[in-house]
Structures are given as C-alpha cells and as structure tokens.
Amino acid sequence: MEFDFLEPVSEGVLKFISSLSSQELGSKIVLHTQDQFPEISKINIAIVGVLEDRRNIDIVNEVNLTAVRKKLYSMFPGNWDASIADLGDILAGESVDDTYFALKKVTSALIKNKVIPIVLGGSQDLTYALYRAYDDLEQMVNMVSVDNRFDFGKEDETVSSNSYLTKIIIDEPNNLFNYCNIGYQTYYNSQEEIDLIEKLFFDAYRLGEISNNISLAEPVFRDADLVSIDLNSVKSSDSGNTVSFEPNGFNGKEICSLARYAGISDKVSSFGIFNHNSTVHESAMIAQIIWYFVEGYHYRSKEYPFGSRTNYLKYIVPLENEELIFYKSDKTDRWWIEIPSLSNGHNKLKRNTLLPCSYDEYLCACNQELPERWWKAQRKNAL
C-alpha cells in the first residue's frame, strides 16, 4: 500500500502530546502510531513529513520536524470542524528518486481520497514529486510558489531545490497549465529568467507588489491546485533562519496571510512548506503557517468549481474587440472572469472555464483595459 512508506510519529512527540491539555491541538488530531494508522476516509487534512534534503546545498542540518510538531500541537485550534491526522514521516530513500516516488504515491493516494496533504520538508525540489502526484488525476495543474527565486536550472542539470521548476516544465507528461511565483526578488533572478516567465505566459509578483497590497494574491491562490512555500521567502528576522540569512522577504504576518489565502481556496488540494533548516525559531514560524492554512480551510465556501453559476451575478463588459463576462458571488462577493472555450474544441481548461479575479480587474475592464491574467490564460489555452 502507498501508506507503507510512512514511519509512525516519533515516541518523543507522542510523549509530548500526552502531556497536553484536552484543549490543545495535539489532543484533537489522529496520529499514526506503531499500533494504528488513521482511517483515511475520516480525515480532511493530513500532515506528512519528508526527511529529504540532499538536493539543497544551503541546508546544513538534517531535517528534523520534532520542534515543528511540538510548536504546532501546543497551539489552540480555532473553531474548526476539520479532521486532522499526522501520518508521520517519509524517510529519505536509498536515492533521492526513491524519496520522490514515495512522496508521489502517498500524496496521490491522499488527493484521490479528497484529503489535503500538508507536506513538510526537506528541500523544495520535493515540489516536483508533489506535482507528479497529479499524473493519475487527468487534470491540468496550476502551481503557486511563494519564493524569492524562480528556481530555473539548465535542462540537463540534476534537479535540486534551485532548479526543480525546469524539470516540471519539460518532463512528460506535461500537466502544468499555469505557474505563478509570489514574492520574487529581482536581484535573485536573471533578466533572462524574468523574460522566460513572460514568454511562457506565467505569472509573477514581486515582493514589493504583494507587501504593498497582499490581496493581489487571493485570486491567484483561488485558482491553484498545488501551493509550495520556500521558507527563504520570509525575512530571517521573522523566520529565525540564521543559516541562509535573508535580510528581505515577507514578514510573519504576511506569510501567514498567504497561507490563509491558500487554505480558503476551494481548489487547493496540496500544500507544502520547504527548505526548513531545523532551527527552533523557524519551527515556530512553520507551525503558525500551518495553523493559518487550516484556519483558511475551515472557511472554504464551496464555490466554483464546485458550485453553480446560477447563484452569481453576471456582468458583461463590452470592449472594442472583446466582450468580457464577469461573475460575482452573492455569497462572498468574490469575482471571476470567463475564459471562453475555443471553437476548435482544444480547450485545456476543460475543468475550469472561470478564472478567479479581483474587483479591481473588473474596474479595469470597465475602463477598456484587458486584464493581464485573462489574456495570458487565453494564450495558454490556445497553445
């Protein structure tokens, strides 16, 4: 079975949980122990550790998630009704590819069972295995990476935490419909890489853009299937990362807000936090990121792609050469814009023809400006 790759939660963590009060989170989750494995059909969210860091030269400590678990489980939950399980850890395989295989199998099985895996690494190249978990689901994948770098590499380069995106783009089967980077810092990315993002009709938001208006990220997460967070995107004064020091990045409040956006998205089906240096201070940051993701999950509204458009207000905006159709939810006041199917029938967005957008993008359309994300989606859909 796929879950045979998982090692039980350590005895040290189990002992710590047993000392907690009945009100703390650790007393309210289901645990993978030596004696029992959680019943997958009864859980909504699964925490999975992956003790693999061989493809990240910046990590100097072996992956140890004990401090993360202790920080998380000593917190008090919100008014949540989600069932959460800690499935333990995937150990590093004989080769890195073995670890990828195990993670792919575990996460694929969870997603098929409508369980959201929260994957704790380990190095960010594990995102590649998360992406490959969607191979059997017969769908295009939208991926969002919160990262200060794009993580491109040379085509023949061994996949690593700094080059995994190239492997995602070029490997078959190619199920990637869209990639969006949130929080890139220009001095960490060459102009050629920035140009490539544009050439591929991908999306990217600089750190300053999001910090100045964090709500820009909400529609992006609303359209994501897979979300990957590189902890190097958080400035070290907030994350506690003193190993690979980052003077600039998101602050603690901002990264938790982004995690909440990911959690509240009806479409996000896997969530990963990577490049953890196993420091105590960083563990507290990771625990709070997880807490806010679960908080967001509690407030999911089950709107598109699950709901019906009949409950939405429809707005038609005529432009010179186009007619844009917007929908506004009467439940949450969130906006979508329609991506029309192609007349030749080759529509990559078979599963989703509404693109999440903001009220500001609707206003821009009213001022005769084409929303950039709509234009890029149209171009990708036609390829």
Side-chain angles (χ1 to χ4, degrees):
M1 288 225 5
E2 296 89 347
F3 302 121
D4 291 342
F5 294 110
L6 291 159
E7 291 292 312
V9 177
S10 71
E11 290 298 324
V13 172
L14 294 177
K15 184 177 180 181
F16 174 80
I17 290 174
S18 68
S19 69
L20 298 175
S21 75
S22 61
Q23 299 301 311
E24 290 169 288
L25 183 58
S27 300
K28 297 178 180 296
I29 63 168
V30 186
L31 298 164
H32 175 196
T33 67
Q34 296 285 355
D35 301 321
Q36 66 176 8
F37 189 85
E39 192 172 335
I40 297 300
S41 62
K42 294 184 178 180
I43 62 176
N44 305 115
I45 295 173
I47 294 170
V48 177
V50 187
L51 310 185
E52 175 64 77
D53 62 358
R54 283 173 284 184
R55 295 283 175 83
N56 189 348
I57 59 174
D58 295 326
I59 293 179
V60 297
N61 300 316
E62 288 188 6
V63 185
N64 187 332
L65 300 172
T66 298
V68 175
R69 286 184 162 104
K70 288 183 176 181
K71 287 288 185 182
L72 177 64
Y73 296 148
S74 60
M75 290 178 176
F76 293 93
N79 185 25
W80 303 338
D81 55 12
S83 175
I84 306 169
D86 188 335
L87 301 186
D89 296 325
I90 296 173
L91 303 182
E94 185 173 336
S95 69
V96 176
D97 286 339
D98 291 337
T99 311
Y100 290 165
F101 178 82
L103 179 57
K104 172 187 172 182
K105 289 296 184 182
V106 169
T107 53
S108 179
L110 289 172
I111 295 168
K112 285 179 181 178
N113 283 280
K114 295 182 169 40
V115 178
I116 298 176
I118 297 178
V119 177
L120 307 178
S123 46
Q124 200 183 13
D125 54 290
L126 295 169
T127 303
Y128 173 73
L130 272 185
Y131 164 71
R132 288 269 74 104
Y134 289 86
D135 286 352
D136 299 331
L137 303 179
E138 297 182 356
Q139 68 172 75
M140 300 302 290
V141 179
N142 289 344
M143 186 177 106
V144 173
S145 175
V146 181
D147 201 336
N148 57 14
R149 293 174 170 84
F150 294 133
D151 296 325
F152 284 121
K154 296 178 181 177
E155 190 169 332
D156 57 351
E157 183 180 344
T158 300
V159 63
S160 72
S161 61
N162 295 324
S163 65
Y164 70 91
L165 183 58
T166 299
K167 190 170 179 64
I168 287 177
I169 292 171
I170 65 175
D171 270 17
E172 297 290 343
N174 191 337
N175 304 322
L176 184 67
F177 181 76
N178 191 45
Y179 165 80
C180 180
N181 173 284
I182 292 178
Y184 81 93
Q185 298 173 35
T186 308
Y187 39 76
Y188 284 147
N189 300 278
S190 69
Q191 189 57 51
E192 288 79 8
E193 290 174 323
I194 295 172
D195 292 342
L196 181 58
I197 290 289
E198 286 296 315
K199 182 179 179 182
L200 295 171
F201 306 116
F202 290 159
D203 302 309
Y205 295 83
R206 290 179 64 176
L207 171 65
E209 284 182 272
I210 301 299
S211 293
N212 289 334
N213 182 9
I214 201 162
S215 64
L216 287 173
E218 188 277 327
V220 174
F221 283 110
R222 208 182 334 145
D223 198 40
D225 299 289
L226 161 61
V227 175
S228 172
I229 293 180
D230 183 339
L231 285 171
N232 289 319
S233 65
V234 184
K235 60 182 178 181
S236 291
S237 59
D238 280 36
S239 72
N241 172 19
T242 56
V243 179
S244 51
F245 187 78
E246 294 294 341
N248 289 302
F250 291 116
N251 62 35
K253 180 181 177 182
E254 290 165 344
I255 195 67
C256 287
S257 294
L258 295 175
R260 191 177 188 278
Y261 280 148
I264 210 169
S265 166
D266 290 312
K267 198 162 176 274
V268 169
S269 53
S270 61
F271 183 74
I273 307 171
F274 303 105
N275 290 347
H276 173 216
N277 286 285
S278 299
T279 65
V280 174
H281 294 94
E282 231 180 352
S283 298
M285 185 80 266
I286 295 169
Q288 292 189 18
I289 290 171
I290 297 169
W291 192 98
Y292 274 97
F293 178 84
V294 179
E295 171 82 352
Y297 176 86
H298 174 74
Y299 288 103
R300 288 192 173 190
S301 57
K302 299 296 187 289
E303 292 184 313
Y304 193 83
F306 305 105
S308 168
R309 297 188 203 183
T310 58
N311 298 323
Y312 292 33
L313 293 173
K314 183 177 180 180
Y315 296 80
I316 300 175
V317 180
L319 274 65
E320 185 176 347
N321 298 315
E322 294 282 350
E323 185 177 80
L324 301 186
I325 299 176
F326 289 85
Y327 291 89
K328 178 186 176 184
S329 166
D330 59 1
K331 184 178 181 181
T332 62
D333 288 339
R334 295 190 296 186
W335 289 77
W336 284 260
I337 185 172
E338 188 171 82
I339 308 295
S341 300
L342 300 179
S343 58
N344 60 11
H346 298 295
N347 181 9
K348 290 184 179 179
L349 287 174
K350 293 175 184 176
R351 187 172 64 96
N352 183 10
T353 56
L354 292 185
L355 178 71
C357 67
S358 66
Y359 174 60
D360 286 342
E361 287 173 300
Y362 166 72
L363 292 180
C364 286
C366 291
N367 290 324
Q368 301 298 294
E369 296 178 26
L370 272 177
E372 184 178 357
R373 291 179 63 244
W374 178 89
W375 179 80
K376 287 181 177 180
Q378 280 277 71
R379 294 298 301 269
K380 284 198 292 283
N381 203 23
L383 291 177

